[in-house]
Amino acid sequence: MPYRACAVSVLAALAPALALVPPAASAQYPEHPIRVVLPYAPGAAGDIALRQIQPLLEKRLGQPVVVDYKTGAGGNIGMQDVARAKPDGYTLVLGAANNFVINQFLYRKLGFDPLTDLAPVGKLADVPAFVYVSAQAPAADWRQFQQYARAHSGKLNYGSPGMGTTPHLSAYRLSKAMGADMTHIAYRGAAPGVQALLANEVQLYIGGYSVAAAYVPQGKVRAMAVASPERFAALPDVPTAKEAGMPDAVQGNWWGFAAPKGTPPDRIGRFAAVLHEVLGLPEVRQAYLANGFVPGQDTPASFGKAWRDEARQWEAAVRESGVVLD
């Protein structure tokens, strides 16, 4: 076989193994600080997850990772800022699931399409969704709550941290699947939504582990299930949604990095490789578990495929719900 053909063949065979290896061309990247736009206020789950690994990223990248909070419009302002930024690898966005796979179907005029105007870099963390019910609801498990909700169809409420969020749409799908006709009440963030659950203003709320860590041990709310393939290690007694017999309607939230379309693949690969390495550290996994996070472990390609697959599911859910935002 001619040398050139042989070399091409060998490179093709090695391509999968090299997916996370930063090319030599990126050896000088980064040469100055990387700006990470976070489209929510400080204290959001993504902010907490990033802060826990920020020093580790900076040590391996050799440059500061600067967080720039650009809030508003359900995260759309910060996302648009990055979609329009110079595609040089020095501006990234850390967004939540709804910013990548829901908002483009929810808002009348988003101004950009995350599926085409952003390039996937990697998932930071999954935030498995727990289905909580009020302690005042006469139900010790999901089967009993489902019976109670059906018997009181149209009379119960579910809360969410905002219109069009993953907890809102998941609870909508869950209510419809069990024939409960529950009324949605949107709050300004998770904190007031959880307080409403504690006060029995809403009987069902979908949220992360932090809700459970604070209130389940005290018996103030009940965790019916976690929407995850496996039980969450910090709450091993809470069944998965499948084990609980819950309809396949609930999806957790996640946070991931993206870059402006056109960003050099070698620079995306460099950041993704460092992110992958850091998230694989045992101390990071332990710290994430304590906060209800599951570290991401993917490539830009697999992350991008997950975007496209999930977007199709949420597009159908948004249209079915009839929710439209300006």
Side-chain angles (χ1 to χ4, degrees):
M1 178 183 294
Y3 173 79
R4 180 180 178 84
C6 180
V8 171
S9 176
V10 170
L11 287 173
L14 289 176
L18 295 173
L20 284 171
V21 178
S26 66
Q28 299 304 312
Y29 169 83
E31 296 180 296
H32 57 78
I34 296 174
R35 180 174 71 111
V36 174
V37 173
L38 205 152
Y40 296 96
D47 185 38
I48 295 171
L50 175 57
R51 293 297 186 182
Q52 289 183 316
I53 65 167
Q54 190 174 5
L56 299 172
L57 292 174
E58 293 178 334
K59 181 179 179 180
R60 287 161 176 76
L61 290 167
Q63 292 290 343
V65 174
V66 181
V67 180
D68 183 5
Y69 301 98
K70 285 188 174 293
T71 66
N76 296 336
I77 292 176
M79 297 292 291
Q80 188 175 70
D81 177 78
V82 175
R84 296 176 176 177
K86 183 179 180 180
D88 57 6
Y90 289 97
T91 299
L92 304 176
V93 66
L94 175 59
N98 58 289
N99 302 128
F100 294 107
V101 298
I102 296 178
N103 285 6
Q104 63 265 47
F105 312 117
L106 190 65
Y107 287 81
R108 295 182 193 276
K109 298 179 181 179
L110 192 60
F112 70 100
D113 185 343
L115 296 176
T116 58
D117 295 333
L118 292 170
V121 175
K123 183 183 288 185
L124 175 64
D126 281 299
V127 186
F130 285 81
V131 178
Y132 300 106
V133 302
S134 167
Q136 297 183 45
D141 56 30
W142 177 251
R143 180 184 60 81
Q144 292 179 5
F145 182 80
Q146 187 170 245
Q147 292 176 345
Y148 171 67
R150 284 176 176 167
H152 295 78
S153 180
K155 298 179 181 179
L156 304 185
N157 303 321
Y158 66 86
S160 83
M163 293 285 289
T165 58
T166 49
H168 168 209
L169 295 174
S170 287
Y172 164 79
R173 295 170 66 189
L174 189 59
S175 172
K176 184 171 182 179
M178 63 180 179
D181 192 25
M182 300 177 75
T183 299
H184 174 226
I185 301 178
Y187 296 90
R188 291 182 177 273
V194 172
Q195 290 302 312
L197 181 67
L198 293 169
N200 199 37
E201 293 174 7
V202 299
Q203 288 69 51
L204 183 146
Y205 189 88
I206 295 176
Y209 166 72
S210 59
V211 179
Y215 299 114
V216 169
Q218 303 174 30
K220 293 184 177 181
V221 300
R222 299 191 184 104
M224 297 283 100
V226 58
S228 175
E230 300 176 351
R231 294 193 180 196
F232 196 72
L235 284 174
D237 293 335
V238 177
T240 66
K242 184 175 181 180
E243 290 173 335
M246 188 174 292
D248 185 17
V250 180
Q251 288 184 246
N253 194 16
W254 49 261
W255 292 80
F257 290 97
K261 180 182 178 181
T263 299
D266 60 327
R267 296 187 174 186
I268 288 178
R270 166 73 173 149
F271 190 92
V274 170
L275 177 66
H276 190 276
E277 177 187 348
V278 166
L279 292 176
L281 296 173
E283 60 268 33
V284 171
R285 300 189 69 84
Q286 184 176 359
Y288 270 31
L289 175 63
N291 283 282
F293 306 142
V294 177
Q297 282 287 284
D298 53 10
T299 66
S302 63
F303 187 39
K305 182 180 185 302
W307 281 14
R308 295 187 293 274
D309 292 345
E310 195 168 329
R312 286 192 288 269
Q313 299 175 35
W314 285 121
E315 181 180 14
V318 170
R319 288 180 176 174
E320 185 179 315
S321 71
V323 178
V324 178
L325 301 178
D326 293 318

